[in-house]
Amino acid sequence: MNRITSQNIETFLLQNYGKSIKTASTIELYNAVSRVALGCVADKMYSNSGKKRAGYLSAEYLVGRVIYANLYNMGEIDTVRKILEEKGIDLEKFEEIEDLALGNGGLGRLAACFLDSAATCSIPLDGYGIRYRYGLFKQSLVDGFQTEGADDWQRFGDPWSIRREEDVVEIVFGDQEVKAVPYDMPIIGYGGDMVNTLRLWQSEPKVPFDFIAFNDEKYSDAVKEKNRAEDISRILYPKDDTYEGKKLRLKQQYLFSSASLQDIVRKLKRAGRSPKDIGEYYSLQLNDTHPVVAIPELIRILVEEEELSFSTALKIAEKVFAYTNHTIMPEALEKWDVKLFKAVLPKVYPYVRKINSSLKNQLKKLNIPQEELKKYSIIEDNKIFMARMAIYATHSINGVAQIHTEILKNTALPEWYKIYPQRFNNKTNGITQRRWLALANQELSSLISTKIGEGWITDLSQLKALEKLKGDEEFLHQLREVKQLKKNQLAAYIEKNEGIKIDTSFIFDVQIKRLHEYKRQLLNAFSILDTYYGIKEGRIKDFKPTVYIFGAKAAPGYFRAKGIIKLINEISRLIREDPVVNKFMQVVFISNYNVSYAEKIVPAADISEQISTAGTEASGTGNMKLMLNGALTIGTYDGANVEIVQQAGEENNYIFGARVEDIAEIEASYNPSALIEKNPRLKVVVEALIDGTLRDEGTEMFQELYDSITEGASWHKPDHYYLMLDFIDYCDTRLRANQDFKDPRLIAEKSLMNIANAGSFSSDRTIKQYAEEIWQLGNK
């Protein structure tokens, strides 16, 4: 690998901007360093070893700011820091550059971690997705309400991507034909030995400008097709509560699925291999249901372009594809209206029908009773069930945490597990320690390395050696010092970005994740209100001051989630304006939460809130990041929380609430209103939504939240996520943790035990399991 030097940075700046390192702007310097670094690894991006490769098909890649991770993995971060320091420039200036936020949450961040781990572990894995023109959205808080703006991540350029014009493919829809143009980003493994590729497709028109229409003064018509084509890859998850919105989403999914398959088939042919042997050379992982349309598309390509029989093509698809399920919630398992699907993808729909017919024939051979066929059917009630197609036409279905996989097998998909038990398997999610410890918390990683060496950077299980330091007073003191330093740094960052001052002697209690009802930010808010009233009433005494930090975005059309954001900000105002309580409590909702913000918050957190309703969070990865950095989990027995407490010990965390089996037992008779009437603490916090204590500025948001709990709303039954059921146990568990924080040594020991037992949550472990147990990668 070539090295980065001061000279080649200077040369790039001179040739492109006519400037030197000292005179270049931050953006120009960022572009120069990035392009020079890319030049050092570009040759490795396209060196195919001849081994069987895997492809990761995902609608999301929540990459974050790439420059630091890439320089770190290349072993060049200290070199670049020194080059810049000699010119009086701080490497941290690059924090001004926007995140690459082509994802919504854990699904997209997991994809990014997997790519990093695969390259580090010498696993040939390429990512495929969409190069959205704008990221998710830029969130602002105005009077406590979320407002959205365009996340124009490309406005400073995109120096880490290479446009590959020679690999353009055509995509045909029922009403439109477009070009899919690939942009390749390097995925650099730690040490720089392996460089895989993330190929993102951008939708562009076949004819970008209608000259005749323009000359006829039809100016809008002249660029109509350009705009229509570019709309397809303009934003992640366009609003889909209308026909046109659903149509656009389906086009997005087909764009990157079809383009990726066409690309792979073409590569096989260029290498002198037959597409019918694609299963010998590629394994393709479907990250949730978004890319499942790839199944009938591959079959279509093999039948129509390679002249294989349908039955042969179906067998090939089954060998090629594997499916990761990320949710058990029915509303998140995609279904497409048949009429819409046929209109958008008329050439693909016949193959969906053939797959469905093949399934029915197989079910008959398995003697499945006629009355049970409906729950398997891929096409039913004028809808296409994508998860069912994924289960039938792949060779592997994996859950992403032990409890999630058991729920899939026993509760969510038991009929499928009954006929295909060998296909179901678990791959507990993971995170890359290089991003989430080595880079995000350099002080802690340095301390760890002085005690056990640097082997943990590529083998996180080595953290287990830290357990022997549990009684080491000096080390425990150093752990506390690092945590305090990270809290100070976060407080300074929040003051700079939000204009809010935080007392760093407070406990930092953190809930950072996508805003969704099942993640129960509302339960957190109610609990904070309970503590507020408890302190005012004198019921809660000797309370250790706490700042509650939230970071979350609500989908633009998700009214109830937006109401929760407003509620949290109203509770913040209530506490801030109360001189009796504001000495003990503070609530901070940070704006525009993203990967870079997470890199500041995660190392500073004392408490990690993982409070989803048992049985709803497939895994979670934020819980792993916070654990790795020494935060203590307050959580339900849900997702990867189960494995976290198995590894680190329940005594070193705080578990509360109903479990899956408890909820199943009371589900039919559950009456949240009776619980509210019976418990004064519950009643006062819920009534605060409508009694004037909290203000929603006439939007009726708080009334709607109240109704969703007491009466049910939209498709919800009352208190669909059992906030009232878990409320008292949650509040009391939080108070127990609060009292424990009065003993700094005890907390340092608990923190150490979490760090030392985080080894199994490395995405290196997870991706090796995918490679060995699902993809069966080997020399070809």
Side-chain angles (χ1 to χ4, degrees):
M1 185 177 72
N2 297 324
R3 314 308 302 184
I4 298 173
T5 66
S6 177
Q7 183 58 52
N8 50 31
I9 295 173
E10 291 277 14
T11 299
F12 183 94
L13 286 167
L14 183 62
Q15 290 176 346
N16 290 273
Y17 305 112
K19 294 184 180 180
S20 67
I21 291 178
K22 289 191 86 169
T23 60
S25 69
T26 299
I27 301 303
E28 291 163 346
L29 202 52
Y30 169 80
N31 285 335
V33 172
S34 300
R35 272 295 176 183
V36 169
L38 177 61
C40 293
V41 299
D43 60 328
K44 290 191 175 184
M45 289 174 67
Y46 304 108
S47 59
N48 194 327
S49 63
K51 290 182 178 179
K52 182 180 181 181
R53 298 188 72 83
Y56 201 75
L57 273 61
S58 178
E60 298 183 35
Y61 288 93
L62 193 50
V63 178
R65 195 181 295 112
V66 298
I67 190 165
Y68 297 127
N70 283 346
L71 293 177
Y72 178 79
N73 281 357
M74 291 171 68
E76 295 280 8
I77 195 163
D78 291 334
T79 299
V80 173
R81 180 177 281 111
K82 185 177 178 183
I83 289 170
L84 297 181
E85 282 176 352
E86 287 173 352
K87 305 291 184 178
I89 300 165
D90 188 347
L91 180 63
E92 305 311 310
K93 279 181 71 69
F94 292 154
E95 289 191 356
E96 298 171 18
I97 308 303
E98 294 295 323
D99 274 23
L100 179 56
L102 307 185
N104 185 32
L107 185 86
R109 186 54 229 169
L110 179 75
C113 282
F114 278 178
L115 295 183
D116 175 282
S117 285
T120 295
C121 298
S122 299
I123 294 169
L125 171 69
D126 298 315
Y128 294 94
I130 299 176
R131 188 176 187 259
Y132 302 104
R133 175 64 183 84
Y134 298 99
L136 181 62
F137 60 83
K138 183 166 280 189
Q139 179 196 56
S140 300
L141 298 172
V142 179
D143 296 327
F145 293 98
Q146 171 179 293
T147 61
E148 302 93 26
D151 177 22
D152 190 6
W153 67 275
Q154 294 181 40
R155 72 183 187 278
F156 297 137
D158 180 17
W160 287 100
S161 292
I162 302 171
R163 182 180 171 103
R164 305 295 295 194
E165 195 73 39
E166 69 277 20
D167 287 341
V168 168
V169 297
E170 290 189 4
I171 306 295
V172 179
F173 301 108
D175 62 347
Q176 184 182 18
E177 294 184 20
V178 301
K179 295 192 302 181
V181 182
Y183 283 74
D184 290 350
M185 294 183 68
I187 305 300
I188 305 164
Y190 181 73
D193 292 332
M194 184 172 225
V195 182
N196 288 328
T197 303
L198 171 57
R199 174 158 280 194
L200 299 176
W201 299 96
Q202 180 170 290
S203 180
E204 296 183 6
K206 293 178 73 174
V207 180
F209 183 73
D210 188 334
F211 185 83
I212 295 172
F214 191 87
N215 255 5
D216 289 341
E217 299 180 356
K218 298 175 182 176
Y219 305 126
S220 296
D221 289 347
V223 292
K224 181 180 177 182
E225 287 308 309
K226 178 177 186 293
N227 290 336
R228 282 188 73 217
E230 291 177 357
D231 281 345
I232 296 171
S233 57
R234 203 174 301 278
I235 64 167
L236 169 72
Y237 296 151
K239 195 173 176 182
D240 67 346
D241 54 357
T242 65
Y243 179 85
E244 289 301 317
K246 289 180 173 66
K247 186 173 168 183
L248 186 56
R249 278 216 192 187
L250 182 56
K251 283 186 174 183
Q252 286 186 332
Q253 295 181 6
Y254 184 69
L255 177 91
F256 86 90
S257 297
S258 178
S260 302
L261 291 172
Q262 290 185 60
D263 187 51
I264 288 167
V265 167
R266 184 168 53 193
K267 284 176 181 173
L268 284 170
K269 288 182 175 180
R270 285 174 180 169
R273 295 164 178 163
S274 171
K276 74 178 185 338
D277 295 326
I278 185 173
E280 301 299 316
Y281 298 103
Y282 282 93
S283 284
L284 300 177
Q285 192 72 33
L286 305 172
N287 192 29
D288 217 3
T289 50
H290 310 122
V292 168
V293 70
I295 295 172
E297 172 65 0
L298 177 61
I299 294 171
R300 184 196 68 78
I301 290 170
L302 293 175
V303 171
E304 295 184 4
E305 298 177 16
E306 305 304 323
E307 300 181 343
L308 299 181
S309 69
F310 170 79
S311 60
T312 300
L314 178 61
K315 287 176 184 173
I316 291 171
E318 183 184 314
K319 182 176 182 178
V320 168
F321 289 113
Y323 164 58
T324 299
N325 175 284
H326 285 277
T327 183
I328 62 164
M329 290 185 283
E331 69 271 19
L333 294 173
E334 283 186 312
K335 300 176 282 291
W336 292 107
D337 178 80
V338 167
K339 185 177 178 182
L340 180 144
F341 195 98
K342 286 170 70 175
V344 175
L345 304 175
K347 291 187 174 182
V348 180
Y349 179 69
Y351 294 94
V352 176
R353 291 197 58 171
K354 288 182 178 182
I355 294 168
N356 192 46
S357 296
S358 176
L359 167 63
K360 287 181 176 178
N361 289 335
Q362 189 168 120
L363 293 174
K364 286 176 185 175
K365 289 176 185 176
L366 293 169
N367 297 316
I368 302 298
Q370 184 69 31
E371 62 272 16
E372 293 185 20
L373 293 181
K374 187 173 182 177
K375 60 187 175 185
Y376 294 93
S377 186
I378 293 167
I379 302 174
E380 191 67 44
D381 298 328
N382 291 315
K383 287 187 170 50
I384 300 170
F385 290 78
M386 303 304 279
R388 296 176 186 176
M389 182 154 57
I391 295 167
Y392 171 62
T394 66
H395 67 275
S396 169
I397 302 101
N398 73 279
V400 290
Q402 286 176 5
I403 188 173
H404 172 232
T405 301
E406 291 307 306
I407 290 170
L408 289 180
K409 293 193 294 189
N410 301 321
T411 307
L413 303 169
E415 67 277 11
W416 290 100
Y417 179 62
K418 180 180 176 183
I419 61 175
Y420 298 130
Q422 74 285 357
R423 294 186 182 182
F424 283 77
N425 60 94
N426 180 62
K427 301 288 175 282
T428 297
N429 284 342
I431 58 170
T432 167
Q433 63 268 32
R434 291 164 290 281
R435 172 67 72 102
W436 293 106
L437 180 54
L439 272 170
N441 198 342
Q442 294 174 37
E443 297 86 353
L444 179 57
S445 61
S446 177
L447 175 60
I448 290 170
S449 293
T450 61
K451 297 296 182 182
I452 64 170
E454 295 185 342
W456 61 269
I457 296 172
T458 52
D459 179 8
L460 198 60
S461 68
Q462 292 188 24
L463 291 183
K464 190 74 173 174
L466 291 171
E467 276 195 355
K468 67 184 180 215
L469 299 170
K470 187 177 178 183
D472 187 323
E473 296 299 330
E474 181 187 5
F475 184 70
L476 293 175
H477 177 71
Q478 290 171 319
L479 271 184
R480 293 197 296 272
E481 285 187 324
V482 167
K483 182 63 73 175
Q484 189 59 53
L485 175 62
K486 302 312 287 187
K487 290 169 74 170
N488 294 343
Q489 290 173 357
L490 175 62
Y493 191 77
I494 287 176
E495 185 172 2
K496 176 184 173 185
N497 284 272
E498 315 291 339
I500 299 170
K501 281 195 169 188
I502 293 174
D503 188 331
T504 60
S505 69
F506 281 28
I507 298 169
F508 281 23
D509 183 312
V510 166
Q511 188 174 19
I512 45 172
K513 51 185 76 245
R514 183 165 53 94
L515 204 305
H516 195 287
E517 288 168 272
Y518 84 84
K519 294 177 185 289
R520 300 205 295 189
Q521 285 94 343
L522 182 55
L523 177 62
N524 191 340
F526 282 157
S527 175
I528 293 168
L529 261 184
D530 179 68
T531 302
Y532 168 79
Y533 288 128
I535 292 172
K536 278 190 75 77
E537 296 162 3
R539 169 171 52 86
I540 297 174
K541 297 179 173 65
D542 199 23
F543 182 80
K544 184 162 177 58
T546 301
V547 55
Y548 304 93
I549 299 172
F550 292 85
K553 292 181 179 180
Y558 195 168
F559 183 79
R560 200 171 302 153
K562 285 184 161 184
I564 294 168
I565 291 177
K566 174 59 176 173
L567 175 66
I568 292 166
N569 282 303
E570 271 300 289
I571 294 170
S572 175
R573 177 198 58 78
L574 181 72
I575 292 168
R576 185 172 62 252
E577 294 176 357
D578 191 323
V580 175
V581 179
N582 63 20
K583 299 187 290 289
F584 302 101
M585 301 175 70
Q586 185 178 11
V587 177
V588 176
F589 198 112
I590 61 103
S591 58
N592 203 43
Y593 173 65
N594 57 18
V595 174
S596 291
Y597 227 135
E599 289 171 356
K600 304 286 187 186
I601 296 172
V602 165
D606 292 307
I607 289 174
S608 163
E609 296 283 348
Q610 307 297 331
I611 60 175
S612 52
T613 312
T616 59
E617 183 71 84
S619 170
T621 52
N623 47 6
M624 302 171 187
K625 295 160 195 163
L626 287 152
M627 175 200 193
L628 180 62
N629 281 270
L632 311 184
T633 298
I634 293 181
T636 50
Y637 213 64
D638 191 34
N641 294 352
V642 177
E643 290 157 83
I644 284 174
V645 296
Q646 285 173 353
Q647 295 294 321
E650 197 161 330
E651 69 278 10
N652 294 310
N653 293 283
Y654 301 89
I655 298 299
F656 74 93
R659 302 195 177 190
V660 171
E661 58 272 21
D662 300 325
I663 291 173
E665 196 172 309
I666 59 100
E667 187 174 13
S669 60
Y670 181 58
N671 185 350
S673 294
L675 290 176
I676 293 168
E677 289 303 318
K678 192 166 68 174
N679 194 302
R681 283 169 61 189
L682 247 180
K683 189 174 178 67
V684 73
V685 299
V686 175
E687 295 290 332
L689 290 169
I690 56 170
D691 66 7
T693 302
L694 303 164
R695 305 191 295 260
D696 64 5
E697 319 300 339
T699 61
E700 298 296 313
M701 282 179 158
F702 295 172
Q703 180 70 54
E704 206 273 344
L705 286 172
Y706 181 85
D707 291 344
S708 74
I709 292 167
T710 58
E711 300 175 12
S714 63
W715 56 271
H716 281 194
K717 64 181 185 291
D719 192 20
H720 186 74
Y721 293 110
Y722 300 95
L723 282 70
M724 303 298 96
L725 181 66
D726 284 347
F727 175 78
I728 293 297
D729 193 11
Y730 176 46
C731 293
D732 293 347
T733 301
R734 276 185 123 166
L735 290 174
R736 177 163 59 88
N738 183 273
Q739 295 305 298
D740 283 351
F741 267 83
K742 292 175 183 174
D743 184 345
R745 190 189 184 285
L746 173 67
I747 294 301
E749 280 193 353
K750 289 174 179 278
S751 179
L752 170 59
M753 292 302 289
N754 275 276
I755 297 166
N757 289 284
S760 67
F761 300 110
S762 171
S763 50
D764 296 354
R765 182 268 311 155
T766 315
I767 210 67
K768 286 176 182 175
Q769 289 181 325
Y770 275 91
E772 294 165 10
E773 298 168 20
I774 297 178
W775 305 331
Q776 298 172 341
L777 298 186
N779 289 313
K780 287 290 174 187

